[in-house]
Amino acid sequence: MVRIVLRRLTQLSVTLIALMTLVFFWLRSLPGGPVDALLGERATPQTRETLTRALGYDKPIWVQYGRFVENVVTGDFGNSIRTGEPVTAVIGRAFPATVELAIAAIIVAVGLGIPLGYLAARYRGRLLDNATIVVTLIGISIPIFFLGYLLKDWLTQDIHVFPPSGRISTGADNTDVTGFFVLDGLLTRELDASADALWHLVLPALTLATIPLAIIVRITRASVLDVLDEDYIRTADAKGLRDATIRRRHVLRNALLPVVTTIGLQTGALLAGAVLTEKVYNWGGLGTVITDSISGSRDYPVLQALILLAAVVFIVVNLLVDLSYAVIDPRVRVP
């Protein structure tokens, strides 16, 4: 297991270094260079020269690259052009909101997707299977922003089941400890605030979980159907093993590898791509930061930090997926 971790960390480190290099040269390929991109309409020969020296862009390219890598490793991405705050402060304030939403969405997707996919495969060709196929096709096809507005209009305006937007009610007594409002309420024993934050979380999480849920159901169904046709399943049945034992030990475990891969990919995508859902529900996470950084202000320091953060998220998720392979299927541990 240690050998697997070290091998994967080496591979993923190479990936991160390659992405850092791409980001470095992307900044220098901007029209007019990064200095003009940062100054915008305020660019004059004097301000351009001053900023070039201040940022070290007058140094040789290898010196600039070394300084860039050093800043990334130490977490120094400079200040936001839009707000003037340190980039780490801007992202650190919004990151917990997106993580909380993504975790809730993937819990919904996995908690419903694997059982539904298994049941659809087990009752192949029956009403449940056909209904599952139709519903998942709709879930994959419907645009996320349209579904968000549809659920928001129906469940918050017509029947008033959920709050329409935000992470917590105005005036709620909530102490911000970690930035995860549900967890903060539990840590500070403010259970009313935790319940309120959880109630605000339900509708955005259901919206964001729709596409991952549909994909997980379909992948689980296909994987279980493949396993059910294997000879060792028929052998286990012929030996008189109980159905519960066959399902748990032979069917589900062997069907999980492609499902785990899908879950890993969808988790990374949720963390990196919750922009539309956050916009619909005014969530105040990384989606808002991305939108504000792109529209008008051209906040490149924040954007480059977000690109690298997304890469790190995918790297960590892929590492966890690889480790789960070794747990699910011991053959993976063989070098």
Side-chain angles (χ1 to χ4, degrees):
M1 184 69 76
V2 174
R3 186 167 57 251
I4 293 175
V5 173
L6 292 177
R7 186 166 64 246
R8 291 294 184 267
L9 285 176
T10 302
Q11 295 169 352
L12 297 176
S13 298
V14 172
T15 303
L16 185 58
I17 292 172
L19 184 63
M20 288 169 53
T21 305
L22 288 174
V23 171
F24 173 79
F25 285 105
W26 167 67
L27 286 174
R28 281 145 187 81
S29 66
L30 296 171
V35 173
D36 283 354
L38 293 174
L39 291 174
E41 298 178 354
R42 300 170 297 168
T44 64
Q46 293 78 16
T47 57
R48 188 182 295 111
E49 182 180 355
T50 301
L51 186 59
T52 298
R53 286 199 304 268
L55 296 177
Y57 292 151
D58 56 336
K59 306 292 183 182
I61 192 69
W62 60 85
V63 175
Q64 297 181 40
Y65 182 74
R67 182 177 178 182
F68 173 77
V69 173
E70 180 184 354
N71 290 339
V72 169
V73 172
T74 58
D76 181 10
F77 295 97
N79 294 331
S80 167
I81 298 173
R82 186 173 56 86
T83 65
E85 297 178 276
V87 171
T88 51
V90 174
I91 295 178
R93 189 166 53 245
F95 187 61
T98 299
V99 173
E100 187 175 55
L101 176 58
I103 290 175
I106 203 64
I107 288 174
V108 171
V110 174
L112 295 178
I114 293 179
L116 284 176
Y118 173 78
L119 291 174
R122 187 180 179 188
Y123 299 105
R124 173 173 41 181
R126 301 184 188 179
L127 177 61
L128 177 61
D129 183 29
N130 295 328
T132 300
I133 293 174
V134 172
V135 172
T136 54
L137 183 60
I138 294 174
I140 294 174
S141 303
I142 190 169
I144 196 73
F145 69 89
F146 175 71
L147 178 64
Y149 281 118
L150 189 67
L151 293 178
K152 185 177 179 180
D153 183 63
W154 179 38
L155 296 176
T156 69
Q157 303 297 328
D158 293 342
I159 58 178
H160 305 284
V161 176
F162 296 105
S165 63
R167 297 182 63 199
I168 199 165
S169 299
T170 303
D173 186 15
N174 180 64
T175 304
D176 190 351
V177 179
T178 64
F180 300 91
F181 286 177
V182 176
L183 178 61
D184 288 343
L186 297 176
L187 292 176
T188 58
R189 298 186 179 181
E190 297 169 348
L191 299 184
D192 290 342
S194 181
D196 183 72
L198 183 61
W199 203 237
H200 280 75
L201 179 61
V202 171
L203 195 55
L206 288 174
T207 303
L208 187 59
T210 305
I211 293 177
L213 171 61
I215 293 174
I216 290 172
V217 168
R218 295 180 74 89
I219 295 296
T220 303
R221 177 184 179 275
S223 183
V224 170
L225 286 176
D226 287 341
V227 172
L228 287 174
D229 289 334
E230 295 290 342
D231 290 337
Y232 59 82
I233 299 297
R234 287 189 287 271
T235 301
D237 186 46
K239 289 171 63 178
L241 290 179
R242 293 184 303 166
D243 286 344
T245 302
I246 295 174
R247 290 197 300 268
R248 183 181 67 254
R249 184 178 300 174
H250 298 289
V251 176
L252 278 177
R253 186 160 187 171
N254 287 285
L256 276 181
L257 284 181
V259 177
V260 168
T261 302
T262 303
I263 293 171
L265 293 174
Q266 292 301 313
T267 302
L270 288 178
L271 284 170
V275 178
L276 293 176
T277 304
E278 291 187 5
K279 201 68 177 176
V280 170
Y281 293 102
N282 191 26
W283 193 249
L286 290 179
T288 303
V289 175
I290 293 172
T291 303
D292 293 341
S293 299
I294 293 175
S295 59
S297 63
R298 296 194 298 180
D299 204 340
Y300 290 111
V302 173
L303 287 176
Q304 75 171 8
L306 288 171
I307 292 171
L308 293 174
L309 176 62
V312 171
V313 167
F314 273 101
I315 285 172
V316 171
V317 169
N318 274 279
L319 177 60
L320 294 176
V321 168
D322 287 341
L323 293 179
S324 66
Y325 284 169
V327 173
I328 295 171
D329 188 351
R331 293 172 298 179
V332 177
R333 305 174 197 171
V334 179

